[in-house]
Amino acid sequence: MVKLQGLEDLLQSQLKQHVKKIDEEAYYPREFLLQLGKSGYFQSEGLDYSEVLLREARVVEETAKVCMTTAFNIWCHLASLTYIRATDNMYLKNNLLPLLESGELLGATGLSNPMKYYAGLEKLHLQARRVDGGYTISGTLPAVSNLGRDHWFGIIASIDNNQRIMAYVQGNVERLVFKEKLGYLGLNGSATYACQFDDVFIPDDWVIAEQADSFVEKIRPAFVLYQIPLGFGVTGASIQSIDKVCSRQAGCNKYLAVQSDELSEELQQLRSQLEHYITQTDLREQWKGLLNVRLQTVHLTSKATHACMLHQGSAGYLKCSPPSRRLRESYFFVNLTPTVRHLGKMLS
Ligand SMILES: Cc1cc2nc3c(=O)[nH]c(=O)nc-3n(C[C@H](O)[C@H](O)[C@H](O)COP(=O)(O)OP(=O)(O)OC[C@H]3O[C@@H](n4cnc5c(N)ncnc54)[C@H](O)[C@@H]3O)c2cc1C
């Protein structure tokens, strides 16, 4: 049984009042994210991996009902956490994992470009050079979210055509330049920065995997899995919003093509599929199935946010109304790696 006691209270008392500021003023909900960790929602000790995944997926979903930007920040943290849970590097496991799981440290991920690289979409942006005691890294990542100087994030860099390494980088390391990225249609409260590495020294203690190619196969199912509930939450909130206005104008909304019961049914089917995959012993074997659920969830989320705009009418058409915020945020879900076209390629 997934334990989520107190989460709803936390969302109502510590996140809800900030949602407008997150959306309109690029406010980054750092305290809320840390509070989730302090409340035990990222602890893995004594639990089966499937219990951890189920609970964390629900945390993402419940948060996305209130604010998808914040839920995306949680996804960044969970992707990061996945790398450190899976590494054989005992320095990272002993020193950083407890902090990441207890709300003392926030994590991020710069793996979009590597995910595209492994799917044959683009070249790796970062290069690594072996030096005494570690590596130096050069190149630029166009966007890393949930970032701060005291946060850590995962990267992959190529040494040559035959080897790539994965490392964990502290935001305040020398010769790493952050450039804040704003002006997006949504998601501006995601603390997103372009990261320019200019011969940044990474000690051996920070190397997650010397053989990134095989390590990625281990972590990518959870990377994608944790994204799916972003769409579930936004869809769930859209359904609630549609139901709220069903009796307006003498129930005229019943003439609209997409109704909430159809959306609920599709959501339930996808949730059952996700829960089925989570409870399987080796997630690597569920890779294609997870990609398929991820793709279907994108389409359902787009359908639900669009339908909600129609049901809400001019109330939804206000620039920062919850339906229009969700519509804007849903376009990010479409463009989050693996994007719809990237998913299409991997499933072909
Ligand atoms: C708000 C936000 C947060 C993100 N957070 C992360 C993160 O935490 N970690 C991570 O690894 N990735 C992150 N990404 C990247 C994201 O996951 C996807 O990789 C990206 O949105 C996919 O876009 P794309 O396929 O168009 O490829 P892109 O990588 O965006 O670019 C494809 C091509 O378009 C060009 N291009 C990109 N932007 C522009 C522009 N403004 N004008 C003209 N040309 C352009 C690029 O140079 C490239 O040639 C983030 C992106 C956004 C928008």
Side-chain angles (χ1 to χ4, degrees):
M1 188 58 201
V2 191
K3 290 204 187 79
L4 289 171
Q5 255 169 2
L7 180 63
E8 188 54 30
D9 283 349
L10 208 61
L11 289 166
Q12 294 303 322
S13 66
Q14 299 200 34
L15 179 63
K16 209 167 171 202
Q17 78 261 30
H18 298 306
V19 175
K20 254 183 143 14
K21 220 160 50 156
I22 293 168
D23 186 40
E24 293 171 31
E25 297 169 33
Y27 171 74
Y28 172 59
R30 180 186 165 83
E31 292 313 316
F32 174 76
L33 297 166
L34 291 170
Q35 191 53 52
L36 279 177
K38 290 192 173 78
S39 306
Y41 293 111
F42 303 136
Q43 285 295 344
S44 62
E45 211 182 311
L47 295 174
D48 289 345
Y49 191 42
S50 61
E51 289 177 303
V52 173
L53 289 170
L54 274 173
R55 184 200 54 208
E56 290 172 343
R58 286 294 306 281
V59 171
V60 174
E61 177 174 347
E62 294 307 312
T63 307
K65 283 183 186 165
V66 179
C67 173
M68 200 195 92
T69 301
T70 307
F72 171 64
N73 287 326
I74 297 172
W75 172 80
C76 296
H77 182 72
L78 292 173
S80 203
L81 203 44
T82 301
Y83 314 150
I84 306 308
R85 282 176 183 157
T87 183
D88 292 329
N89 176 328
M90 292 319 286
Y91 173 84
L92 295 174
K93 265 210 153 110
N94 292 336
N95 293 289
L96 297 190
L97 187 56
L99 304 179
L100 288 163
E101 288 196 346
S102 62
E104 285 163 79
L105 183 67
L106 288 166
T109 166
L111 254 54
S112 284
N113 163 248
M115 290 296 176
K116 290 183 217 170
Y117 164 78
Y118 286 114
L121 269 59
E122 45 184 58
K123 289 189 177 150
L124 271 187
H125 291 329
L126 299 182
Q127 290 80 44
R129 195 164 50 87
R130 184 74 203 164
V131 292
D132 201 18
Y135 293 91
T136 56
I137 310 286
S138 294
T140 302
L141 293 177
V144 182
S145 306
N146 205 40
L147 211 49
R149 285 292 174 192
D150 55 345
H151 301 195
W152 288 70
F153 63 107
I155 59 156
I156 289 180
S158 62
I159 299 177
D160 53 40
N161 284 337
N162 300 320
Q163 194 191 347
R164 284 146 289 277
I165 58 151
M166 180 157 175
Y168 214 40
V169 181
Q170 192 170 23
N172 69 1
V173 72
E174 275 177 31
R175 306 177 74 87
L176 170 63
V177 177
F178 284 179
K179 188 166 170 265
E180 192 169 16
K181 304 262 290 232
L182 292 168
Y184 291 115
L185 205 56
L187 273 290
N188 290 304
S190 57
T192 300
Y193 297 83
C195 297
Q196 192 185 326
F197 291 74
D198 176 20
D199 265 334
V200 171
F201 176 68
I202 302 292
D204 285 327
D205 273 346
W206 297 4
V207 174
I208 293 176
E210 292 281 352
Q211 303 299 332
D213 298 7
S214 52
F215 188 78
V216 160
E217 304 224 332
K218 215 156 76 167
I219 52 93
R220 65 183 187 173
F223 180 97
V224 165
L225 186 155
Y226 284 130
Q227 294 176 342
I228 294 167
L230 290 171
F232 288 177
V234 173
T235 301
S238 302
I239 292 170
Q240 270 178 11
S241 173
I242 289 172
D243 285 342
K244 248 192 207 160
V245 293
C246 64
S247 55
R248 260 191 216 160
Q249 295 186 335
C252 200
N253 280 351
K254 72 177 177 212
Y255 296 103
L256 290 168
V258 178
Q259 297 293 328
S260 66
D261 48 359
E262 174 186 337
L263 296 168
S264 297
E265 206 174 296
E266 288 178 37
L267 175 59
Q268 197 38 50
Q269 278 173 12
L270 289 172
R271 190 183 281 112
S272 303
Q273 286 181 44
L274 178 65
E275 288 177 3
H276 165 75
Y277 290 129
I278 288 179
T279 50
Q280 302 306 298
T281 36
D282 190 349
L283 272 188
R284 276 176 291 194
E285 287 168 17
Q286 316 308 324
W287 176 234
K288 287 270 166 152
L290 284 166
L291 291 179
N292 196 33
V293 175
R294 165 75 162 86
L295 181 59
Q296 288 186 55
T297 305
V298 170
H299 292 317
L300 176 61
T301 308
S302 298
K303 180 173 162 184
T305 51
H306 178 66
C308 184
M309 289 296 289
L310 301 189
H311 283 255
Q312 284 279 346
S314 61
Y317 193 60
L318 284 168
K319 211 170 169 182
C320 296
S321 70
S324 69
R325 170 174 50 79
R326 284 192 293 268
L327 183 74
R328 287 183 283 105
E329 290 181 329
S330 75
Y331 278 104
F332 176 67
F333 191 46
V334 170
N335 284 313
L336 169 65
T337 291
T339 61
V340 171
R341 55 191 175 206
H342 183 167
L343 287 163
K345 182 167 195 258
M346 287 192 290
L347 285 166
S348 68

